[in-house]
Amino acid sequence: DPVLLLFPGNAERQLATGIPLVEALRAGHEAGAAVVSYRGFDGSTGSPSPRAAAHDARAVLDYLSSELGVRGKQLVMVGYSMGSGIALRAAAELAQRGQGPSALVLLSPFWILELEPAGALGPLLPSELYTVEEVIPYLRARSIVVGAAKDSALPVAEHARPLAAALGPRAHYWELPEAEHASYLQDPAVLSKLAQLIWRAD
């Protein structure tokens, strides 16, 4: 059976918001679901960083493969906000091993993301830069890119649209005219249509 694997955004309570999202997207389908909680978030120890997030993604994929027998082609990888870049990198690494996911779903994604380091000293330290352009050539999976037209955190003109254009014909771009960065994640109508896009026959 397919497995929905969600890489959440830069929010402290990643599991509390992530689990209802994957449950909505797999409703009525025989599919497993998993939500990643990066180090430094939601009870996970350690400090977050781009390198740490990539390492954590590999650890999750290795666990799914070795312990649960889930292979890359069974995966529908979903990335929201910051998690979109982590999902893209993880998918590219799988693709390079010939085990790419069946689909990528990128919600309010970024093209280039600069985040202040976590912790009390964060404002005094250099920002952490997340980028995705360099992994695009390795991606072969069918992709769905959802942009929120009123997203002030990651404006679609600078992020979702350039990403969809870079992915090319393998990407389906859907822009929500009245949505903000996260508002649509609890909209049943949006999630129902998104589920239809995910599970449609190729």
Side-chain angles (χ1 to χ4, degrees):
D1 292 333
V3 174
L4 282 167
L5 176 60
L6 172 65
F7 294 89
N10 184 29
E12 184 177 346
R13 300 193 65 203
Q14 296 181 331
L15 301 180
T17 56
I19 291 172
L21 175 58
V22 293
E23 291 294 347
L25 294 178
R26 74 168 182 162
H29 296 274
E30 294 292 331
V35 180
V36 179
S37 181
Y38 319 113
R39 69 183 71 189
F41 289 92
D42 217 0
S44 294
T45 59
S47 299
S49 73
R51 179 175 293 182
H55 180 276
D56 294 344
R58 292 186 201 103
V60 168
L61 292 171
D62 288 345
Y63 175 83
L64 290 174
S65 176
S66 63
E67 299 297 325
L68 302 180
V70 176
R71 303 293 180 249
K73 291 181 180 180
Q74 293 172 259
L75 290 172
V76 175
M77 299 175 72
V78 183
Y80 164 65
S81 191
M82 181 185 79
S84 65
I86 300 169
L88 282 165
R89 286 190 169 279
E93 290 186 11
L94 285 176
Q96 287 178 280
R97 302 202 301 261
Q99 302 172 8
S102 64
L104 276 166
V105 182
L106 307 168
L107 310 173
S108 298
F110 71 85
W111 184 239
I112 298 175
L113 181 62
E114 191 171 357
L115 291 178
E116 184 180 280
L121 296 179
L124 304 178
L125 299 173
S127 295
E128 298 166 339
L129 192 65
Y130 293 75
T131 61
V132 298
E133 184 175 8
E134 62 274 19
V135 305
I136 298 296
Y138 301 103
L139 298 168
R140 297 290 180 269
R142 178 172 65 92
S143 302
I144 301 165
V145 180
V146 179
K150 295 185 177 180
D151 191 338
S152 58
L154 296 172
V156 290
E158 300 169 27
H159 297 280
R161 292 176 190 167
L163 175 59
L167 288 168
R170 60 188 178 275
H172 174 92
Y173 181 58
W174 181 24
E175 188 167 308
L176 304 171
E178 300 300 322
E180 299 177 357
H181 187 66
S183 62
Y184 63 94
L185 297 179
Q186 297 178 348
D187 185 328
V190 170
L191 296 182
S192 177
K193 182 175 178 179
L194 181 56
Q196 292 175 16
L197 291 172
I198 292 172
W199 303 116
R200 70 171 174 80
D202 288 322

